[in-house]
Amino acid sequence: MGERSASLAIDSAEPIELPIYPASVGPAVIDVGALTRLGYFTYDPGFVSTAACASAITYIDGDAGVLLHRGYPIEQLAQQSDYLELCQLLLNGELPAASDKRAFADAIRSESAVDGRIEGLFAGFQEDAHPMSMLCSATAALASLYHDSMDSDDADCRLATAKRLIAKVPTLAAMCFRHSRGEPFVPPREDLDYAGNFLHMMFASPGKDYAVNPVLARAFDRIFLLHADHEQNASTSTVRLAGSTGANPYACIAAGMAALWGPSHGGANEAVLNMLAEIGSPENIDPYIARAKDRDDPFRIMGFGHRVYKSYDPRAKVMQETCHEVLAELGVDHDPTLKMAQRLEQIALEDEYFVEKRLYPNVDFYSGIILKAIGLPVSMYTAIFATGRTPGWIAHWMEMVSAPYKIGRPRQLYTGVGRREYVPSAERA
Ligand code: SDX
């Protein structure tokens, strides 16, 4: 890679040269591998300034609020592309030709049904099981069907796995929703597109016609698109770490789902609605803002802040526009929850604390309001996020396993006691 290097002098030792590798866009990296020979590790809890891999899939400039998928800005993709086309872009690196796009959509539709043995899993869940507990389990269970046909060294096998996951995760997510309502599952239809099929599997009544609302279908397509990938976030890094052991890709994606579930990550959309419900009315916002600013109070404004974005999350802007479109279509654009969110956003963006720490709304701030207006329970929101993120997770898994890779094995700063001899219980105090 690059010719530059960083000199590191430790105490009086001779300085060592650490290679610097240039990025195609954004920060270069310093290869610190030589440190172990000197008896040192780097120390970076939370990986704030650590690049764990090289990747060509997504680029984020957090200061400028830029998000590029294979070089294309998220704003242009949201306005001009669609979710399955973005899936192909993430997987293959290029926008597909019209014929390839049709073939991919047909392949996904043909794979969207779920084996009856996976359906049988749901009988073991109580109805009030959290959808993410069911989705993680059912996704990992797909490995039981395809484990023996999984050869991650084979490109065709990797692509078949990618299509299978992109096709089946929304069906599993819809099954989680139906199970939580005690309703029978609705199988996917051959005559509907991806988002239309999702709506149908979620809301259709068996034996009755279900008319897909094109505004809601477009909204879901855009919600999935906005969540499709986001560089080396916690859940994607989890997928890569699990994949680095050679684990089955279905298990790796299930691991990513588990990581996404946390309220600091993909669980934030659910946490935003719970927070807005707890605040209750715009008059109560100020005390919560005060709590968010109190270092001794663990309360955070959910849907605000981001490790990378120190300006407005570009996805949040598109999500806000979609929110207004959906609520207007549903005739609920005076929804008190939306009004509360807008008031909270306005107060926070004008508050010195949030300005100084560069805390802005992120992708999760408005998504939950759209999903609430469409009629989804709060517990389903992260499952929607996981459905959207599946192509990103699988694209990173494919990128890693299609080239030489090492098992991920971080080191530590040991702070425990040094060696000591065992004391038989009779001799202990
Ligand atoms: C997602 O990584 C990704 O790309 C994730 C994601 C994706 O697409 O994969 O974008 C999706 O997970 C979005 C984030 C969703 N989470 C939330 O909305 C939860 C609320 N946000 C915070 O928990 C926080 O902002 C994080 C977890 C998102 C970011 O964590 P950081 O960067 O480690 O934040 P930090 O704690 O270092 O924040 C810096 C300062 C701290 O104060 P000081 O220690 O400097 O005094 O800002 C404060 C934080 O206390 N802060 C907040 C805050 N977020 C950060 N204070 C109040 N409210 C907040 N929301």
Side-chain angles (χ1 to χ4, degrees), residues 230 264-265 295 300-301 303-304 306-307 315 362 389:
H230 212 239
S264 289
H265 190 12
R295 290 177 68 96
R300 292 280 181 278
I301 301 294
F304 254 77
H306 199 278
R307 169 63 58 74
R315 301 168 297 174
N362 58 50
R389 184 51 55 89

Side-chain angles (χ1 to χ4, degrees), residues 130-188:
H130 194 289
M132 282 302 287
S133 64
M134 295 189 273
L135 187 59
C136 290
S137 309
T139 301
L142 290 175
S144 66
L145 299 175
Y146 308 111
H147 181 74
D148 296 335
S149 62
M150 186 62 240
D151 174 7
S152 59
D153 293 330
D154 176 85
D156 292 339
C157 190
R158 293 195 295 266
L159 186 56
T161 300
K163 290 176 182 175
R164 211 175 268 145
L165 279 158
I166 292 168
K168 296 185 189 304
V169 167
T171 307
L172 294 175
M175 291 164 74
C176 295
F177 177 64
R178 303 288 293 200
H179 181 77
S180 67
R181 290 154 58 106
E183 294 172 348
F185 300 139
V186 174

Side-chain angles (χ1 to χ4, degrees), residues 338-353:
L338 174 61
K339 296 297 173 203
M340 172 104 89
Q342 289 171 317
R343 180 75 184 116
L344 176 58
E345 177 187 9
Q346 181 189 7
I347 293 173
L349 290 180
E350 291 167 0
D351 185 287
E352 185 188 337
Y353 171 92

Side-chain angles (χ1 to χ4, degrees), residues 60 230 233-235 263-266 268 292-293 295 299-307 309-310 313 315 353-354 357 359 362-364 385 389:
I60 301 171
H230 212 239
N233 57 83
S235 54
S264 289
H265 190 12
K293 293 157 61 173
R295 290 177 68 96
F299 176 78
R300 292 280 181 278
I301 301 294
M302 292 288 109
F304 254 77
H306 199 278
R307 169 63 58 74
Y309 288 124
K310 300 309 174 189
D313 181 335
R315 301 168 297 174
Y353 171 92
F354 289 83
K357 292 184 185 299
L359 302 174
N362 58 50
V363 69
D364 292 305
F385 192 146
R389 184 51 55 89

Side-chain angles (χ1 to χ4, degrees), residues 84 99-112 163 167 190 192:
L84 284 187
S99 57
D100 292 339
K101 182 172 176 176
R102 282 192 299 275
F104 187 79
D106 291 344
I108 295 299
R109 195 180 291 114
S110 69
E111 277 274 9
S112 52
K163 290 176 182 175
E190 286 294 319
L192 294 176

